Amino acid sequence: MNAPITMKPLSHLPDGRMVDAYTLTNVHGVSVRILTYGGAIQSIRAPDRDGEMDDIVLGYDHLERYLESPRYFGCLVGRYAGRIAHGQFSIDGRDYDVDRNEGGSCLHGGRLGFDKTVWTAKSQETRVGAKLTLNHVSPDGDMGFPGELAVQAVYELTRGNELRLEMSATTTAPTVVNLTN
């Protein structure tokens, strides 16, 4: 039986920040590997109908592919998942221009959305399984969005083979937010 939670330093980004990989494993041998880069679910190993363990997630084997790919495989998406037409919106009569990274629109938070962020991590064992909590603070004005936004993503792999993901955010000012994975 593997340890319920393991952490492995994965690689340094070009700017020197370290990316870690956390693996949550339950009593049945099901495991989930999550990167601190983008909160990406890199793999989920689960049994097939014959009981053979296999990876069931579409993702990349190497961090470099996450860095160069325009895809959002397994990543946390935000500040705003989806498109903001023309990269503009208004709140309380004030207009905001946000980063345009898909033609004239803002897609999934812009060029440096949450999928391109190194999140801080804390792991723990709980009564129902293994839990990994990722946190990130997006400063006021980040990619043009108003208000500081503190985001938390909690992954939990249960003894019942469930992977749960709960996301929450608090802000210092009215803003738009739409988180997903």
Side-chain angles (χ1 to χ4, degrees), residues 10-11 53 68 79 83 95-97 102 104 117 121 124 171:
L10 193 62
S11 182
M53 298 300 271
E68 62 194 33
R79 278 189 175 199
R83 287 174 183 79
D95 296 332
Y96 293 92
D97 288 309
E102 186 191 57
T117 297
Q124 69 185 81
T171 185

Side-chain angles (χ1 to χ4, degrees), residues 103-174:
S105 296
C106 177
L107 177 65
H108 298 332
R111 285 174 291 108
L112 299 175
F114 292 168
D115 62 302
K116 303 292 186 215
T117 297
V118 177
W119 295 66
T120 58
K122 179 182 175 191
S123 61
Q124 69 185 81
E125 292 181 48
T126 69
R127 61 178 181 75
V128 296
K131 183 189 302 189
L132 178 67
T133 302
L134 297 182
N135 290 288
H136 173 64
V137 176
S138 175
D140 181 30
D142 187 21
M143 297 286 106
F145 290 91
E148 180 180 277
L149 190 71
V151 182
Q152 185 172 79
V154 180
Y155 303 79
E156 188 168 31
L157 178 61
T158 72
R159 290 181 179 97
N161 293 339
E162 299 170 307
L163 176 60
R164 299 176 183 161
L165 174 56
E166 183 177 310
M167 295 182 277
S168 61
T170 57
T171 185
T172 60

Side-chain angles (χ1 to χ4, degrees), residues 48-61:
D48 65 16
R49 70 178 125 212
D50 298 320
E52 298 296 319
M53 298 300 271
D54 202 1
D55 187 359
I56 60 170
V57 168
L58 183 59
Y60 300 116
D61 291 336

Side-chain angles (χ1 to χ4, degrees), residues 60-72:
Y60 300 116
D61 291 336
H62 303 285
L63 177 64
E64 293 74 24
R65 292 286 292 140
Y66 286 95
L67 300 177
E68 62 194 33
S69 175
R71 308 287 183 264
Y72 296 86

